[in-house]
Amino acid sequence: MKDTLWKENHFQDNIPDADSIQVDDIQTRAEKLRQQANAAVGAKKYAQACELYTQAIELSPCAILYANRALARTKMEEYGYAYMDACKSIELDCHYPKGYYRRAVANFALGKYKAALEDFKKECERRIREQAFAKAIDSDAVKPVSLFETIDYESIIVEDSYQGPTWEQEDISESFCYELIEYLRNQGKLHKKYLIKLLVYAKRYLDQLDNIVSYQVKESGITVCGDTHGQYYDLLNIFQLNGYPSRDNPYLFNGDFVDRGSFSVEVIITLLTFVCYDPLCMLLNRGNHESKNMNKIYGFEGEVKTKYNETIYSLFAELFESLPLGHLLIGNEKGNRKQVLVIHGGLFSRDGVLLEDLQHLDRHREPDQGLMAELLWSDPQKEMGWGVSKRGIGVSFGPDVTCRFLDANQIALLVRSHEMKEQGYEVEADNRLITVFSAPNYCDQMGNLGAYIRFSSTLEPQFYTFAQVPHPNVPPMAYASNGLGSMGLV
């Protein structure tokens, strides 16, 4: 009798009530959303995955969902948001290892190696043991003597087997430029003697420039291009569509020449060759990827070391610090001094910044803090005011911030790059801000168009778009670090 009563009571205690059924239903829906989101990540539909993870989190927040959304945001390069998701994952479950891993990956992608080390010790310690990497993260390290002061390219012997273009005179000839383009197009490799000479000549010129270079636009106008990211054959397509660089057909390339695409060496060599041939036909701005931290992760360092050697990479890294931070285009219209500012990333976390302030920055360093970091890393947002950067560096700035900065500096228009756009460009902030991106089908997978802007002498913009062209069978990121490899989804 006693046993029967216990069984009846036990059975009654375990009858699910309405509330528990509802909880089970919520968890079931959240689990289905998680599985759908995981599938979206597998299909590289990262924005869709983020939306699905968000819906699941709203139903049933847990460490796994936040960690998985952090992964999707990492794939979208929204490292600031990924970091916050990883922190929330750890807050919900301090024993969940992937929360720490995701946070480490976000910090690692941002070049915050010491912070990443706490969560990602094994991977970071391996990198810290590499001498170059240790120097890159040690902000207190003494700056070494410039390689440009000791390098002797004249003593380098050019082997008889070398079939590429030669540069024996003082100046680069026009024929050398075109011979080099065709040689690189056919996957030839410029001899290291001529490459080092090119870097020496380019740095000597770039070091003379201001942080923000004033450029009077001639009657023929100027073409402004955005990120090219090592997509050499698309760069050549721009020249095919718009004409090769010359004094009557000048170009301004707005940073991020390297990384991602696996022909970054060819891109930067071609651009620097035109700089040395005629500085008035090729203007260059620094991007956030012209830095040691980004090059180590996203491929340029590995590509240079594969195609050449560590010394030549060190020369590139030092040269990148000599690149100007922006160009101020000045229109050629009587009675109307119209100006357009071209910088890579965006604006600043406070009002009141003047061009004069930017001229006083020390640009010969890594862009990891202060106004220089914001200039190279920031992005516009639709909302007014300022917001948290999705990248974890710089700031998000609204159209009101844009207009106040431009008005304070008597500038009509801000042109920036730094973000992939489906049509290759986007106009916002009451037509006072343009984003231009010149790497079509970014990383061979995004399906976007590339674009460039033709500015007339009166600084009226015209937009031109183009699709990707074929390239040799070397995939993007072929030389990239494996430090951003991810643990599987849960």
Side-chain angles (χ1 to χ4, degrees):
M1 183 70 175
K2 187 174 182 180
D3 289 343
T4 303
L5 181 61
W6 179 88
K7 290 177 183 178
E8 290 176 352
N9 290 338
H10 180 73
F11 178 75
Q12 291 174 354
D13 289 342
N14 285 275
I15 294 175
D17 57 23
D19 289 340
S20 66
I21 293 174
Q22 186 176 7
V23 169
D24 289 344
D25 182 55
I26 289 173
Q27 291 177 340
T28 298
R29 283 188 286 152
E31 173 61 18
K32 287 182 179 179
L33 286 167
R34 184 185 67 82
Q35 292 176 2
Q36 292 170 5
N38 289 357
V41 169
K44 299 182 179 179
K45 297 178 179 179
Y46 304 120
Q48 178 184 347
C50 280
E51 292 178 5
L52 292 166
Y53 285 133
T54 300
Q55 293 175 33
I57 287 169
E58 290 172 352
L59 288 172
S60 180
C62 66
I64 291 173
L65 290 172
Y66 278 103
N68 283 4
R69 192 170 70 177
L71 170 61
R73 285 176 160 170
T74 295
K75 296 292 187 180
M76 296 168 67
E77 301 183 32
E78 296 180 351
Y79 302 120
Y81 290 162
Y83 172 82
M84 290 188 287
D85 273 350
C87 288
K88 186 64 177 179
S89 175
I90 294 167
E91 178 187 327
L92 290 172
D93 185 353
C94 64
H95 300 294
Y96 184 54
K98 290 186 181 178
Y100 295 97
Y101 185 89
R102 302 283 189 250
R103 187 167 70 180
V105 168
N107 275 324
F108 191 85
L110 296 169
K112 298 179 180 179
Y113 303 115
K114 290 181 180 178
L117 183 59
E118 297 300 318
D119 298 331
F120 194 24
K121 193 170 183 180
K122 183 177 180 181
E123 179 66 23
C124 289
E125 282 181 339
R126 180 179 69 80
R127 294 179 175 276
I128 289 172
R129 284 195 295 267
E130 302 174 15
Q131 183 178 4
F133 184 76
K135 289 180 181 178
I137 67 169
D138 186 1
S139 59
D140 299 323
V142 177
K143 196 166 186 177
V145 175
S146 170
L147 268 176
F148 285 90
E149 296 177 12
T150 60
I151 201 77
D152 177 18
Y153 59 82
E154 294 288 2
S155 64
I156 299 175
I157 297 173
V158 179
E159 301 82 1
D160 292 338
S161 59
Y162 175 66
Q163 299 297 312
T166 59
W167 176 19
E168 304 299 344
Q169 303 82 11
E170 181 67 17
D171 297 326
I172 287 181
S173 65
E174 184 178 29
S175 62
F176 178 87
C177 295
Y178 295 123
E179 289 174 20
L180 177 61
I181 283 175
E182 292 308 311
Y183 188 63
L184 297 179
R185 187 200 300 271
N186 294 314
Q187 301 183 71
K189 186 174 77 171
L190 180 64
H191 195 278
K192 63 182 178 181
K193 174 178 181 175
Y194 306 130
L195 174 52
I196 294 172
K197 183 178 180 180
L198 177 68
L199 296 174
V200 170
Y201 275 47
K203 186 173 189 299
R204 186 183 302 161
Y205 168 72
L206 293 170
D207 280 337
Q208 303 173 31
L209 301 178
D210 292 335
N211 287 343
I212 307 296
V213 179
S214 294
Y215 178 85
Q216 183 75 50
V217 179
K218 305 300 188 290
E219 289 296 328
S220 56
I222 188 171
T223 300
V224 177
C225 298
D227 304 30
T228 49
H229 274 303
Q231 296 186 197
Y232 182 62
Y233 296 85
D234 295 307
L235 170 67
L236 297 188
N237 188 40
I238 293 174
F239 294 157
Q240 188 70 36
L241 294 169
N242 191 60
Y244 282 93
S246 69
R247 188 163 293 201
D248 293 328
N249 188 32
Y251 282 81
L252 168 55
F253 280 83
N254 195 23
D256 280 13
F257 324 118
V258 301
D259 283 338
R260 304 288 191 187
S262 295
F263 304 96
S264 294
V265 166
E266 290 78 6
V267 168
I268 190 61
I269 286 177
T270 297
L271 297 179
L272 291 176
T273 297
F274 279 109
V275 169
C276 292
Y277 165 62
D278 183 353
L280 294 180
C281 83
M282 181 61 69
L283 314 178
L284 303 179
N285 282 342
R286 189 176 184 182
N288 64 302
H289 275 265
E290 278 69 59
S291 69
K292 288 179 284 191
N293 286 341
M294 294 296 102
N295 295 163
K296 179 165 289 294
I297 300 168
Y298 294 105
F300 183 62
E301 180 180 338
E303 183 180 346
V304 176
K305 288 181 177 179
T306 299
K307 295 178 179 179
Y308 290 99
N309 54 46
E310 185 171 354
T311 297
I312 289 179
Y313 172 69
S314 296
L315 290 170
F316 269 118
E318 191 174 341
L319 177 137
F320 286 161
E321 295 185 349
S322 297
L323 289 165
L325 303 179
H327 276 75
L328 184 67
L329 306 183
I330 302 171
N332 186 21
E333 185 176 13
K334 293 181 180 179
N336 182 16
R337 183 181 166 85
K338 188 175 180 180
Q339 300 183 118
V340 172
L341 179 63
V342 185
I343 55 177
H344 179 72
L347 297 180
F348 312 101
S349 56
R350 60 180 174 87
D351 285 330
V353 176
L354 301 177
L355 294 184
E356 182 181 356
D357 301 319
L358 304 180
Q359 296 289 25
H360 292 148
L361 296 174
D362 174 15
R363 74 177 188 260
H364 291 81
R365 62 177 181 84
E366 284 287 278
D368 52 6
Q369 59 184 341
L371 293 180
M372 183 172 163
E374 292 178 345
L375 186 148
L376 296 183
W377 279 93
S378 292
D379 297 293
Q381 63 179 20
K382 305 299 182 185
E383 299 78 16
M384 296 295 185
W386 291 273
V388 176
S389 170
K390 64 187 179 184
R391 303 175 190 267
I393 302 180
V395 67
S396 294
F397 59 96
D400 56 328
V401 176
T402 299
C403 293
R404 289 196 299 270
F405 171 82
L406 295 178
D407 290 343
N409 288 278
Q410 297 182 316
I411 297 169
L413 177 67
L414 177 67
V415 176
R416 43 91 64 180
S417 301
H418 195 41
E419 285 184 290
M420 186 273 292
K421 298 296 180 182
E422 290 293 334
Q423 297 303 312
Y425 71 95
E426 183 176 9
V427 182
E428 50 192 315
D430 294 326
N431 296 318
R432 299 193 71 184
L433 187 150
I434 298 173
T435 298
V436 59
F437 191 81
S438 303
N441 194 24
Y442 183 38
C443 290
D444 286 358
Q445 69 178 29
M446 300 307 293
N448 60 291
L449 294 174
Y452 56 86
I453 309 171
R454 287 282 299 173
F455 280 102
S456 67
S457 60
T458 59
L459 296 183
E460 294 302 319
Q462 286 186 297
F463 303 96
Y464 297 84
T465 61
F466 57 97
Q468 185 184 40
V469 296
H471 62 75
N473 189 26
V474 183
M477 303 286 280
Y479 304 98
S481 161
N482 62 4
L484 286 180
S486 61
M487 298 170 71
L489 287 164
V490 177

